[in-house]
Amino acid sequence: MSNIRITKQFSFETGHALYGYDGKCKNVHGHSYRLDVTVIGTPISDHSHVKFGMVIDFSDLKKIVKEEIVDVFDHATVFNKNTPHVELAKELEQRDHNVLLVDYQPTSEMMVIDFAEKIKNRLPKNIKLHSLKLQETATSYAQWFASDND
């Protein structure tokens, strides 16, 4: 049977700041992110299976991505925990803000790498993550492809 790619789209609002950056993005600011998650697999061929004909139920993929990415990053502010932004993060947390401290500079490029690992770890064995596209603005995005990372 043929391999089929299916894609589910997600959106979330996240703030961040790029410590040490030489442009405007050194300031705390936010984006309306759009994340396209594409997986690849063979549709279920067992006629008696409740999900016959599906690679993965879109609702199952949605559950994984919401739990790992959307529910975590939506309306949070992301800082690299290895920078002086930790002081700002602590102050925001004390004021009851949702703050994420990560091990990387929170660029779209690094976020999409993080997201790929989180999603891959949750997919069923017969389903592979094919690609991610993280759109930061209307004209800017980062992409991750499994074929580039084998």
Side-chain angles (χ1 to χ4, degrees), residues 104-121:
Y104 54 83
Q105 181 80 309
T107 61
S108 288
E109 296 89 337
M110 298 304 293
M111 289 170 68
V112 82
I113 292 168
D114 179 33
F115 295 175
E117 287 305 310
K118 288 178 163 116
I119 295 167
K120 283 193 307 184
N121 290 336

Side-chain angles (χ1 to χ4, degrees), residues 13-139:
E13 311 293 323
T14 302
H16 69 157
L18 304 179
Y19 181 76
Y21 182 67
D22 63 353
K24 291 179 181 180
C25 292
K26 68 182 178 185
N27 300 303
V28 177
H29 64 287
H31 297 284
S32 295
Y33 287 98
R34 186 176 126 186
L35 177 65
D36 294 357
V37 178
T38 302
V39 298
I40 188 168
T42 304
I44 296 167
S45 58
D46 177 355
H47 293 271
S48 65
H49 195 288
V50 68
K51 298 188 182 187
F52 170 64
M54 295 180 181
V55 171
I56 185 174
D57 190 323
F58 282 114
S59 66
D60 293 338
L61 182 57
K62 179 180 178 180
K63 181 180 187 317
I64 292 167
V65 178
K66 277 188 59 55
E67 289 175 0
E68 294 294 328
I69 312 301
V70 177
D71 292 346
V72 176
F73 282 80
D74 190 38
H75 285 82
T77 304
V78 185
F79 296 109
N80 181 334
K81 72 178 184 181
N82 299 311
T83 70
H85 278 148
V86 171
E87 297 302 318
L88 176 57
K90 287 178 186 172
E91 183 174 335
L92 287 171
E93 284 177 327
Q94 289 170 354
R95 295 172 186 239
D96 202 29
H97 285 252
N98 184 7
V99 174
L100 296 176
L101 296 175
V102 295
D103 290 326
Y104 54 83
Q105 181 80 309
T107 61
S108 288
E109 296 89 337
M110 298 304 293
M111 289 170 68
V112 82
I113 292 168
D114 179 33
F115 295 175
E117 287 305 310
K118 288 178 163 116
I119 295 167
K120 283 193 307 184
N121 290 336
R122 293 279 306 276
L123 290 172
K125 288 182 198 173
N126 60 323
I127 308 297
K128 301 291 180 216
L129 182 60
H130 175 269
S131 63
L132 296 177
K133 177 180 176 184
L134 181 63
Q135 191 151 354
E136 184 176 282
T137 69
T139 60

